Amino acid sequence: MIQKNAETKVAIDYTLASRWSPFSFNPSKKLSNEQIISLCEAGRWAHSSINEEPWRIIVCDRERNPNAFDKSMECIGEWHRKWAKNAPLMLIVCADYFIKKKNVTHNKWAQYDTGACAENIALQATAIGAASHQIVGFSAAKTRELFDIPDRYEPMAFMAIGYQDMSNKLGEDYYEKESEERNRRDLGDSFFDGEWGKAYLSK
């Protein structure tokens, strides 16, 4: 199995450095209910504006609820379906735009906060020795239809979670992508020192 730890300028937490998004999942290695609950708990304790907790997550456990898992496969694109079907767990991540505390219908921070929830889940997956892969290639309309999602909730992403398998079991296209070197923009291209565009490269 491929391990791709991030190359950082200074040391960061191992869970952060070792999290990446493989395509290869072991179809015979399951997640326990306790592990799935730990993922949900990690997401539950994410930060959110005025504690609205705008995330709603549909848990599709292939073992406990194969019907829900199969429906989730119908919603994602064929290219993703070929590898995601091997993951034992699919999460459907939705954002709630209604702010209960203010009784208004547009929470402009909903996506930001829901992303924090998803990141917590991804990091918890890494912490328990599993892996996650976010999927944005899906039909929102079909997801709403098959899972009866109310209009005020926006399906944001699917998240496949499971244990890595040998990458050479995938087709060539997936193997090449999974084998690619991890990279990011240089730190100073994204983090600025007190003003826009001035690279933060503290010495």
Side-chain angles (χ1 to χ4, degrees):
M1 291 178 287
I2 299 174
Q3 299 297 321
K4 300 201 291 190
N5 289 357
E7 294 185 10
T8 57
K9 293 186 180 298
V10 297
I12 64 173
D13 185 87
Y14 179 77
T15 303
L16 296 169
S18 59
R19 186 222 59 80
W20 67 288
S21 305
F23 293 100
S24 54
F25 288 95
N26 187 333
S28 61
K29 194 168 183 181
K30 306 164 188 173
L31 290 162
S32 70
N33 190 53
E34 183 177 358
Q35 288 174 318
I36 294 172
I37 291 173
S38 80
L39 298 171
C40 297
E41 283 287 5
R44 184 165 79 104
W45 287 99
H47 61 73
S48 64
S49 176
I50 57 174
N51 288 328
E52 277 293 314
E53 304 172 51
W55 48 82
R56 299 293 187 276
I57 315 293
I58 301 174
V59 179
C60 302
D61 180 356
R62 192 178 61 197
E63 179 74 9
R64 288 183 60 252
N65 196 337
N67 181 56
F69 187 88
D70 290 346
K71 286 197 298 183
S72 76
M73 291 296 105
E74 293 182 47
C75 299
I76 63 177
E78 182 180 359
W79 194 86
H80 292 296
R81 194 179 308 131
K82 287 180 180 178
W83 61 265
K85 66 183 180 182
N86 293 323
L89 183 68
M90 183 67 75
L91 303 182
I92 304 172
V93 181
C94 303
D96 182 4
Y97 284 96
F98 183 73
I99 304 179
K100 295 181 288 296
K101 292 181 177 68
K102 296 184 177 181
N103 196 31
V104 296
T105 56
H106 183 67
N107 180 357
K108 68 179 181 179
W109 305 282
Q111 294 185 17
Y112 181 85
D113 294 339
T114 300
C117 171
E119 178 71 358
N120 275 18
I121 293 170
L123 292 173
Q124 178 65 13
T126 301
I128 64 173
S132 62
H133 195 126
Q134 318 273 343
I135 300 170
V136 294
F138 69 94
S139 168
K142 181 168 278 190
T143 304
R144 286 187 184 282
E145 176 189 351
L146 294 183
F147 291 94
D148 297 320
I149 298 172
D151 289 343
R152 89 183 207 196
Y153 301 95
E154 182 68 25
M156 301 300 304
F158 283 56
M159 188 187 302
I161 300 177
Y163 289 95
Q164 273 186 264
D165 204 349
M166 300 300 293
S167 298
N168 58 10
K169 292 183 179 180
L170 298 170
E172 189 65 27
D173 289 346
Y174 301 101
Y175 179 72
E176 286 183 7
K177 281 195 70 66
E178 189 159 89
S179 301
E180 288 175 357
E181 184 179 346
R182 292 184 67 188
N183 61 76
R184 290 291 189 273
R185 289 192 300 269
D186 190 70
L187 186 146
D189 292 334
S190 299
F191 295 85
F192 303 146
D193 189 4
E195 61 185 74
W196 189 267
K198 181 182 177 182
Y200 184 85
L201 292 172
S202 181
K203 295 182 180 179

